[in-house]
Amino acid sequence: MTAQASSPRTSSMDATPHEVLAEVRNHIGHLTLNRPAGLNALTLDMVRQLQQHLDAWAADADIHAVVLRGAGEKAFCAGGDIRSLYDSHKSGDTLHEDFFVEEYALDLTIHHYRKPVLALMDGFVLGGGMGLVQGADLRVVTEKSRLAMPEVAIGYFPDVGGSYFLPRIAGELGIYLGVSGVQIRAADALYCGLADWYLDSSKLGILDEQLDHLEWHDTPLKDLQNLLARHAVQTLPDAPLEALRPAIDHFFALPDVPSIVEQLRAVTVADSHEWATTTADLLETRSPLAMGVTLEMLRRGRHLSLEHCFALELHLDRQWFERGDLIEGVRALLIDKDKSPRWNPPTLAALHAEQVASFFHGFAESGS
């Protein structure tokens, strides 16, 4: 889920079958998220439609693989439709509770899918969009790709399996991405292992045409890999995060977010000062509570299975609408649009370790 997925006012109750397009061509099931005006933000009905198609195709021997993409030129998927979740909570409905349960189940389906899934990550891939693609076997980025888990900007935490895939990025890079919410481009996505292939967006049409005429010789996964190898590359030069890696590994291994910001502010070395100051400034705009919970969640997630990571995220979800900063974040961004959220607590200095720890109480004991 992410702030940038929030512009659509359409409730998931209003979703139509046309918001997910499904087509089978040459033994490949194609699924297209079709809300381009809303950056293909996910509604509950879209989640259900995706799940239904994937379940049906898993049992269909005539389907060899699945391709996921987003309609339009701006986004694969910019997250979840947070306005509908806000409205659900405010009206006392259960849609916001059902959404997370079913969205996470869909993400797990993709992680465990018995047939190869090819995700075409053109444009924004944020929040819930990352949840859809990180379980795919073949993740393709383009020069237009912008990947992020920016939930802390709206007072939330990186979910949809973020507690699993972020802390498994080398060093502290995933901790940095989750706590800061920054966007990365294709070179960094490949460097971090959040994508597998780079293909210029102008070649996506050629790839689609060749998928329609692909001759199946080997395993479906191998056949798709061979096709991609003819058009795409797996590394790009000059990934910005590679140069920043020593600094990120140092600062984002510190005990807590206040320590991270304090140490960033203390940097005087010329070649690191600008990045350190910019990062500290950014962190101080985010929800202190969301960053604190995110840091703890990601560090726990390093040692949990995929299923347990999703269970931990649901454990946090069940408390977050009442005790977290999401409702205030959505109010400031979407409802009143003052862009001045009143976080609770308002500053990192006022964030206590006990407040962060309280969100995790009962998780281990419940066996989740």
Side-chain angles (χ1 to χ4, degrees):
M1 190 169 61
T2 173
Q4 298 202 33
S6 55
S7 57
R9 295 302 182 101
T10 304
S11 164
S12 68
M13 293 297 195
D14 301 324
T16 72
H18 303 297
E19 290 181 348
V20 173
L21 305 179
E23 185 178 8
V24 177
R25 306 193 307 267
N26 190 27
H27 305 284
I28 299 172
H30 293 264
L31 289 171
T32 302
L33 307 179
N34 191 37
R35 293 183 70 203
L39 301 181
N40 298 318
L42 288 171
T43 65
L44 180 56
D45 279 357
M46 291 170 71
V47 167
R48 289 172 174 170
Q49 290 173 44
L50 290 167
Q51 186 73 59
Q52 289 167 3
H53 286 297
L54 288 172
D55 288 347
W57 290 346
D60 188 342
D62 196 50
I63 304 295
H64 298 344
V66 173
V67 174
L68 295 175
R69 75 185 81 209
E73 298 182 354
K74 293 183 179 180
F76 166 77
C77 172
D81 182 2
I82 59 174
R83 176 60 188 263
S84 67
L85 304 182
Y86 176 94
D87 291 343
S88 168
H89 174 72
K90 285 294 188 180
S91 67
D93 197 1
T94 63
L95 181 148
H96 61 289
E97 299 170 357
D98 297 339
F99 180 84
F100 291 113
V101 171
E102 297 189 39
E103 182 188 28
Y104 297 176
L106 171 64
D107 296 335
L108 269 171
T109 293
I110 296 172
H111 276 277
H112 294 314
Y113 209 61
R114 301 195 302 263
K115 300 175 181 184
V117 177
L118 166 62
L120 302 178
M121 302 156 62
D122 193 34
F124 287 114
V125 188
L126 309 177
M130 289 284 280
L132 293 177
V133 301
Q134 289 309 314
D137 304 276
L138 304 164
R139 301 161 299 172
V140 177
V141 286
T142 75
E143 79 284 358
K144 297 192 296 183
S145 297
R146 303 290 186 270
L147 280 66
M149 295 297 290
E151 285 79 5
V152 291
I154 54 167
Y156 191 54
F157 55 87
D159 62 337
V160 294
S163 60
Y164 183 83
F165 62 76
L166 286 175
R168 282 163 176 77
I169 301 172
E172 303 298 317
L173 291 174
I175 308 300
Y176 164 67
L177 294 177
V179 171
S180 70
V182 296
Q183 290 183 14
I184 60 172
R185 299 190 178 195
D188 279 332
L190 293 170
Y191 176 69
C192 290
L194 295 171
D196 308 296
W197 298 88
Y198 171 82
L199 180 69
D200 192 279
S201 62
S202 64
K203 296 182 179 179
L204 287 173
I206 297 172
L207 177 64
D208 218 32
E209 183 179 344
Q210 297 208 355
L211 287 170
D212 287 346
H213 297 91
L214 179 63
E215 295 184 7
W216 302 95
H217 296 297
D218 208 329
T219 65
L221 179 59
K222 187 66 175 176
D223 288 333
L224 291 171
Q225 289 172 329
N226 290 338
L227 174 58
L228 286 168
R230 295 198 292 271
H231 301 280
V233 297
Q234 293 190 285
T235 59
L236 290 173
D238 304 321
L241 288 183
E242 185 173 9
L244 290 170
R245 169 85 184 274
I248 289 171
D249 283 356
H250 169 72
F251 291 111
F252 284 83
L254 292 170
D256 50 43
V257 182
S259 300
I260 293 171
V261 173
E262 180 183 4
Q263 293 283 324
L264 287 168
R265 293 281 184 214
V267 171
T268 58
V269 179
D271 60 353
S272 299
H273 178 72
E274 182 179 357
W275 172 82
T277 300
T278 300
T279 301
D281 289 345
L282 178 67
L283 295 180
E284 289 186 337
T285 70
R286 305 315 203 190
S287 158
L289 180 61
M291 288 190 295
V293 169
T294 292
L295 183 63
E296 176 66 17
M297 179 192 74
L298 296 180
R299 288 177 173 171
R300 288 180 178 231
R302 274 196 171 125
H303 311 290
L304 296 176
S305 69
L306 177 64
E307 285 75 14
H308 283 184
C309 281
F310 276 110
L312 175 57
E313 293 168 13
L314 276 177
H315 177 81
L316 297 174
D317 280 328
R318 292 185 182 112
Q319 308 167 68
W320 203 257
F321 279 83
E322 294 295 339
R323 301 180 56 213
D325 270 342
L326 176 62
I327 294 300
E328 173 59 17
V330 176
R331 180 208 64 77
L333 180 76
L334 275 185
I335 310 303
D336 298 335
K337 299 182 180 179
D338 55 33
K339 297 184 179 179
S340 299
R342 297 183 287 272
W343 302 129
N344 182 26
T347 65
L348 281 167
L351 180 65
H352 300 296
E354 295 80 9
Q355 185 181 6
V356 172
S358 70
F359 282 88
F360 298 87
H361 288 166
F363 175 69
E365 291 80 359
S366 70
S368 297

